[in-house]
Amino acid sequence: MEKLKHRLLTIIFLFTTIFFFANGQEVKALSCAEKKGSLQEELDGSTGAVYGEIKKIKVDLKQEGITGTKEKVRYILVEVERSWKTEVDSQVIVATDPTWGFNFKEGSKYFMFISEMDGELSSSPCSTTIEMKNLNQATKQFGEGLEPKQQVNLESKMGFMMEQDFDLYIVLAIILVVSAVFIMRARKKRKRG
C-alpha cells in the first residue's frame, strides 16, 4: 500500500510539474512607427474602415492546445452604419489588443480602420481610431461609403468568449479521477488479500 501511495504522489507531481513548466508565456512589445500621410492614405493601405456603435466588448483567452501560448484578445461587436473600401454585414466582430488597443466604450460610436487576417477582422493598436458622434464626420472625409450588405445578429457569438483559463481545472480533475481509481483499486486488493 505504501508503494502505491508513493507511485500515485510521484505521478501527480510529474503531471503538475510538466503542466506548469510547459505553459510559458511569450512577452511582446509594441512599437508603432510615426504616421506620415493622410487618413485617406491609411485607408488605402488597410483592408477597409467601418463606422458604427460598439454594442459589446469581451476579452477572450486564445490558446493552441493545452500547452500552447496563451494570448488575450479583446473583441468588440460593432453595429455598422457604413463601411469604406470593403462591404461588411450590419454587425462585425473586430479583434483588438487588450493592452495597447484603443479604449473603446460600449454605446459610443467610432470610425476605425480594419484589416483581415486568418479570416478575422482586426483593428491594430497602431491604426487610427476616432470617436465620432455622427456619420457626417466620416462621410465628409471619405465619401458616402457602403451600406451593410445584410442584417445579421452576432451577439450570440460573443457569449462563447471567456477570459478564464480552464486548462488547469481540467488537468486537476483528471488527476483527481486517476487518483480515485488507484485508491479504489488498492482498497479492493486489500479487502481481498
Side-chain angles (χ1 to χ4, degrees), residues 35-45 113 128 141-142:
K35 291 183 180 135
K36 295 177 184 173
S38 68
L39 290 174
Q40 185 62 49
E41 290 173 334
E42 190 171 352
L43 177 60
D44 294 339
F113 292 101
T128 302
Q141 177 79 30
F142 300 104

Side-chain angles (χ1 to χ4, degrees), residues 1 182-192:
M1 182 67 180
F182 276 121
I183 291 170
M184 288 173 29
R185 283 186 177 175
R187 285 183 180 171
K188 283 183 181 179
K189 284 183 182 179
R190 198 172 0 133
K191 286 181 181 179
R192 289 182 195 162

Side-chain angles (χ1 to χ4, degrees), residues 140-178:
K140 282 179 188 174
Q141 177 79 30
F142 300 104
E144 285 302 310
L146 304 165
E147 297 271 339
K149 61 182 173 183
Q150 66 179 351
Q151 292 294 315
V152 295
N153 186 345
L154 301 178
E155 283 195 50
S156 60
K157 281 189 171 185
M158 298 286 282
F160 293 105
M161 297 176 184
M162 295 184 193
E163 190 173 351
Q164 184 69 29
D165 182 14
F166 292 104
D167 293 347
L168 178 61
Y169 300 120
I170 293 169
V171 170
L172 289 175
I174 290 169
I175 290 172
L176 286 174
V177 168
V178 169

Side-chain angles (χ1 to χ4, degrees), residues 4 15 19 21 31 37 45-46 52 55-56 61 71 74 79-80 93 108-109 121 132-133 153 163 182:
L4 182 62
F15 272 116
F19 179 75
F21 283 114
S31 175
S46 68
K55 291 296 193 182
K56 195 176 266 189
L61 187 66
E71 178 182 14
R74 178 177 51 186
E79 185 77 37
V80 177
I93 297 174
S108 295
K109 294 184 177 187
L121 293 177
M132 291 183 176
K133 300 286 183 209
N153 186 345
E163 190 173 351
F182 276 121

